[in-house]
Amino acid sequence: MNILEVSHLTKIYGKGENAVKALDDVSFTVEKGEFVAITGPSGSGKSTLLHIIGGVDAPTGGNVTIEGTDIYKLNETKLAIFRRRQIGLIYQFYNLIPVLDVLENMTLPLLLDGQKPDQDYVKELVKTLGLGSRLHHLPNQLSGGQQQRVSIGRALMTHPALVLADEPTGNLDRKNSREIVELLKYSNRRYRQTLIVITHDESIALQADRIINIEDGRITRDEVLRQPSHRE
Ligand code: ADP
Ligand code: ADP
């Protein structure tokens, strides 16, 4: 089953002489449970693509359909709800809220959605992420690797269908990078979450089920490396 259909996406920033075509007729589909790496040179349109898939920034043309919902046909309120429930976003610089502790940062998306965290799931995530002794620390009391773990916890808290990560290890040393990738792979397998990761790191891209390479706003390579792990 396709969880994601990206169809003829175009994105133009700016107008007239200053217009930049960041995406040029990009189409592909992603199967439920797939782990896709997006690679390509700086400025090729990777972040733009991820933001459009994540419902953060509307395309100039084309459609994004997630689990059968054409997301840019939703009004803003419905899109915000859809995004909170179905999409987990992970950034290079964590984007944690400095005045909230680890537990509060992780559960915020649920609270904003008027839901109560499932305590068993919270415990399981905290354990998996190795954050047990840090629940009431503030982000600035954590190392970079720990902050990224919190942001992963926050992304997974709502059981999203789609997890999108933009250079999640871009700011981390080797050891922490490896651990973060292992966590993402674990949750991809454990919860059958579909995972799309932008990365410059070839050793990470090679762990994906599939690599999509983008250059100048177009797909220049789309290669399946292996079947999604839940089908192995
Ligand atoms: P990548 O993630 O591959 O580095 P981006 O998607 O960030 O690429 O950028 C693609 C192109 O769009 C670049 O030329 C970039 O300068 C341009 N761009 C990205 N965001 C904006 C923006 N908000 N306004 C204008 N141009 C932008
Ligand atoms: P890393 O080498 O992984 O980046 P750090 O050297 O930043 O880790 O931190 C090592 C340990 O010290 C971590 O467990 C982190 O939680 C803790 N720590 C770092 N900064 C602070 C701080 N300002 N207050 C409390 N604990 C901290």
Side-chain angles (χ1 to χ4, degrees), residues 68-82:
T69 300
D70 187 343
I71 64 171
Y72 291 103
K73 296 251 158 72
L74 299 173
N75 67 33
E76 238 169 79
T77 312
K78 286 196 169 143
L79 177 57
I81 294 169
F82 185 89

Side-chain angles (χ1 to χ4, degrees), residues 52-72:
I52 293 175
I53 293 172
V56 179
D57 191 17
T60 309
N63 303 79
V64 174
T65 305
I66 298 173
E67 291 207 311
T69 300
D70 187 343
I71 64 171
Y72 291 103

Side-chain angles (χ1 to χ4, degrees), residues 119-171:
Q119 289 308 326
D120 289 339
Y121 184 55
V122 173
K123 272 190 203 143
E124 182 184 324
L125 271 182
V126 162
K127 188 162 172 248
T128 304
L129 296 167
L131 290 168
S133 61
R134 304 280 164 186
L135 292 185
H136 300 294
H137 284 63
L138 296 175
N140 71 7
Q141 297 173 313
L142 302 175
S143 72
Q146 290 170 330
Q147 289 185 58
Q148 191 58 299
R149 268 167 247 243
V150 177
S151 97
I152 291 174
R154 177 182 58 187
L156 300 184
M157 192 55 74
T158 57
H159 299 280
L162 198 54
V163 177
L164 308 175
D166 191 345
E167 294 280 2
T169 64
N171 200 37

Side-chain angles (χ1 to χ4, degrees), residues 20-45:
V20 173
K21 198 178 223 180
L23 292 178
D24 184 6
D25 197 20
V26 170
S27 300
F28 60 93
T29 60
V30 173
E31 227 182 276
K32 183 168 167 63
E34 243 186 315
F35 168 16
V36 180
I38 298 188
T39 59
S42 185
S44 58

